[in-house]
Amino acid sequence: MFLVYADEQGNVFDHPSLYGLARSGDMIVEILEDELIPLPNGATLVGLPNTRPIGMEPKTGEMKPLPGAVQAVGALLPQGFTRLCLPGYMKTDKDYKLPLFGYSAVVWKDGQFYVTARLSDDPKKWDPLNCDPLELKSGVKRLRAEYPDNRLYEHLSNCALGYECLTASNTFLNRWEGAVPVSYSCNAGCYGCISEQPDDSGFVSPQTRMNFRPRVEELVEVMLEHLKTPESIISFGQGCEGEPSTQAKLIIDAIRQVRERTDMGYININTNAGLSDHIRGIVDAGLDLMRVSTISALDDHYNAYYRPRGYTLANVEKSLKYAESQGVYTSINYLIFPGVTDREEEVEAMIEFARRTKLKLIQLRNLNIDPESYLELIPKAKGDILGMKQAIEIFQEELPDVVIGSYTHVPPAELARAKRKPSQML
């Protein structure tokens, strides 16, 4: 398991003698054989600027930074894969913040690259290689021409072609889970927000947030165009927008109009679920699936990262419980960070949270963040750090009825139900 590093030009090398190391939180750790898998298709190797890779002498066990004009290397994993360790490095510029990506440790072994990761879901639908560029451009051209006044298609065309967002791409390819962004505002100030950062944050947002309020008819056009097969999913709440439930009135009206015309497919919302009353209205309108973003089931950790405005983690739990009680297939978008998610107190709290809310699915997502900034922000560990592999195995053992995956699923056959009709209460 030899150290992988890069020069200043980005050329990647494997070290002839030093073993590669990893990080768990702020600790440098040895990599275990059962934590490694071959570098998956769709993964990308990237240099970590202003860092120095740390390797280990195999005979003595001495850990030391690699000298010279070199930098550490990390792997960016495709969806469906969960990282188990961070790259082993030290910063040469303590003030520099790494770009908002989820870096995984990578080594050279048996003539190929390996990463510290596990397969958490079937990656086929989210493999970039399965998104044909020519077919996508044709889909964009067709729908932009068919709906020339629909600003959502204009907005999503940049997401698909510019940012290569697969959910936006699916909207133009009429397949799987498609996007229907709705909100330019948010009721949280997430430290690692990918669409909006304060000027003094030190981070550069990799995406541009939508800057208009769509009309109901624009939403309905996108939704009806996409919901044409039994397994189609159309989702409010994308990386290019704020919190969708802040536009609850628009969503409720759109769901009602769509469900008057078709019961095909599933309507999903990706949300922080803090606005419990708004979520209740959206659920009652005929929502099918709900994925709630969270980083922790502990208040102090949750509040430090999400910086919620006018809501608490108790509101999130209330929303999940109500949605589940009304037959919505509920899941969480669980932001994973090795050395934090696998803390003993974090694992215990999440297990109890999942039991109380009767979650159906936990979607493991690699947190895109500068590690040092994140670790300075959140509370210190109170118990043992178990390791991500063991933490996931504990989730599987303690929550046997909860699916552990990486992205939104349609309900399994035994949980599928007749399409929910808009509530007569509203």
Side-chain angles (χ1 to χ4, degrees):
M1 298 184 289
F2 292 101
L3 174 68
V4 172
Y5 65 97
D7 62 19
E8 292 180 317
Q9 287 72 46
N11 300 305
V12 177
F13 304 90
D14 60 290
H15 198 276
S17 60
L18 290 181
Y19 282 1
L21 294 169
R23 282 181 58 176
S24 175
D26 56 3
M27 299 184 301
I28 299 294
V29 296
E30 293 187 45
I31 297 172
L32 303 178
E33 287 280 353
D34 64 0
E35 294 175 322
L36 289 171
I37 61 171
L39 186 72
N41 289 333
T44 305
L45 296 182
V46 294
L48 279 59
N50 297 305
T51 67
R52 193 171 295 281
I54 298 177
M56 184 180 75
E57 288 283 0
K59 291 184 179 180
T60 64
E62 179 189 2
M63 299 181 183
K64 59 184 182 182
L66 194 64
V70 295
Q71 59 185 324
V73 170
L76 307 183
L77 301 172
Q79 286 197 44
F81 292 87
T82 301
R83 66 176 171 179
L84 302 180
C85 297
L86 307 169
Y89 71 87
M90 59 178 291
K91 281 189 176 177
T92 56
D93 180 353
K94 301 294 185 183
D95 296 325
Y96 177 76
K97 294 183 179 182
L98 291 169
L100 294 172
F101 296 112
Y103 306 96
S104 181
V106 57
V107 294
W108 183 260
K109 176 176 177 288
D110 299 332
Q112 63 179 315
F113 293 110
Y114 278 73
V115 291
T116 55
R118 73 186 292 274
L119 178 65
S120 296
D121 220 321
D122 181 355
K124 178 182 177 182
K125 291 181 178 179
W126 299 99
D127 187 338
L129 297 179
N130 291 329
C131 184
D132 183 276
L134 294 179
E135 186 181 357
L136 175 59
K137 289 179 181 179
S138 176
V140 170
K141 183 178 180 180
R142 178 181 68 83
L143 288 173
R144 289 289 302 275
E146 189 170 345
Y147 301 99
D149 298 324
N150 192 315
R151 295 168 296 167
L152 283 174
Y153 280 125
E154 179 182 359
H155 172 79
L156 287 168
S157 65
N158 180 59
C159 298
L161 299 176
Y163 298 132
E164 299 182 345
C165 170
L166 291 177
T167 316
S169 299
N170 287 341
T171 307
F172 293 103
L173 295 171
N174 289 112
R175 66 179 190 180
W176 307 329
E177 181 180 355
V180 54
V182 66
S183 177
Y184 53 83
S185 62
C186 196
N187 60 329
C190 299
Y191 187 73
C193 181
I194 63 172
S195 67
E196 187 172 86
Q197 287 287 334
D199 293 338
D200 60 353
S201 71
F203 293 118
V204 177
S205 297
Q207 297 181 7
T208 301
R209 182 174 293 184
M210 68 186 301
N211 59 3
F212 64 94
R213 183 177 187 267
R215 300 181 298 272
V216 172
E217 55 267 30
E218 291 176 307
L219 299 174
V220 171
E221 286 174 350
V222 175
M223 294 169 73
L224 288 174
E225 185 67 37
H226 194 75
L227 294 173
K228 291 183 175 180
T229 69
E231 291 198 349
S232 297
I233 302 173
I234 193 72
S235 290
F236 300 103
Q238 304 301 318
C240 61
E241 64 175 305
E243 166 53 37
S245 68
T246 61
Q247 300 295 331
K249 179 66 165 59
L250 277 176
I251 292 175
I252 290 168
D253 289 347
I255 292 177
R256 287 176 176 277
Q257 290 187 34
V258 167
R259 284 302 179 224
E260 288 173 355
R261 297 171 64 177
T262 182
D263 64 356
M264 195 70 76
Y266 295 88
I267 299 174
N268 174 60
I269 187 170
N270 303 315
T271 173
N272 62 40
L275 300 175
S276 302
D277 291 341
H278 290 197
I279 293 296
R280 185 184 185 99
I282 293 168
V283 166
D284 290 344
L287 188 71
D288 297 301
L289 315 172
M290 184 168 82
R291 184 185 76 176
V292 174
S293 179
T294 190
I295 203 165
S296 175
L298 297 172
D299 289 282
D300 53 356
H301 183 186
Y302 183 93
N303 292 338
Y305 179 81
Y306 280 93
R307 296 182 287 196
R309 300 163 185 155
Y311 77 93
T312 67
L313 192 52
N315 294 108
V316 177
E317 183 169 332
K318 180 180 178 181
S319 296
L320 275 166
K321 287 179 175 177
Y322 181 76
E324 191 279 332
S325 74
Q326 299 303 301
V328 174
Y329 188 77
T330 56
S331 66
I332 58 169
N333 182 51
Y334 194 16
L335 302 179
I336 299 300
F337 189 92
V340 176
T341 308
D342 49 344
R343 293 174 180 177
E344 190 174 22
E345 65 271 21
E346 293 282 348
V347 172
E348 291 174 354
M350 183 52 68
I351 289 171
E352 291 306 312
F353 183 84
R355 287 172 176 163
R356 290 195 306 270
T357 57
K358 300 180 182 178
L359 282 179
K360 301 297 187 295
L361 167 66
I362 294 177
Q363 299 180 43
L364 304 176
R365 294 295 186 93
N366 301 310
L367 176 63
N368 297 325
I369 199 69
D370 171 71
E372 284 76 14
S373 300
Y374 176 56
L375 292 169
E376 290 172 3
L377 176 76
I378 64 172
K380 302 299 181 185
K382 297 173 183 173
D384 292 338
I385 297 176
L386 306 174
M388 279 305 308
K389 182 175 182 294
Q390 184 177 351
I392 295 171
E393 289 171 351
I394 291 172
F395 287 137
Q396 292 173 323
E397 181 178 349
E398 295 294 326
L399 302 169
D401 297 327
V402 180
V403 177
I404 307 296
S406 286
Y407 51 80
T408 298
H409 292 207
V410 301
E414 63 270 20
L415 291 177
R417 64 201 182 289
K419 283 289 171 284
R420 301 176 64 248
K421 300 298 181 183
S423 171
Q424 301 302 312
M425 295 169 58
L426 296 179

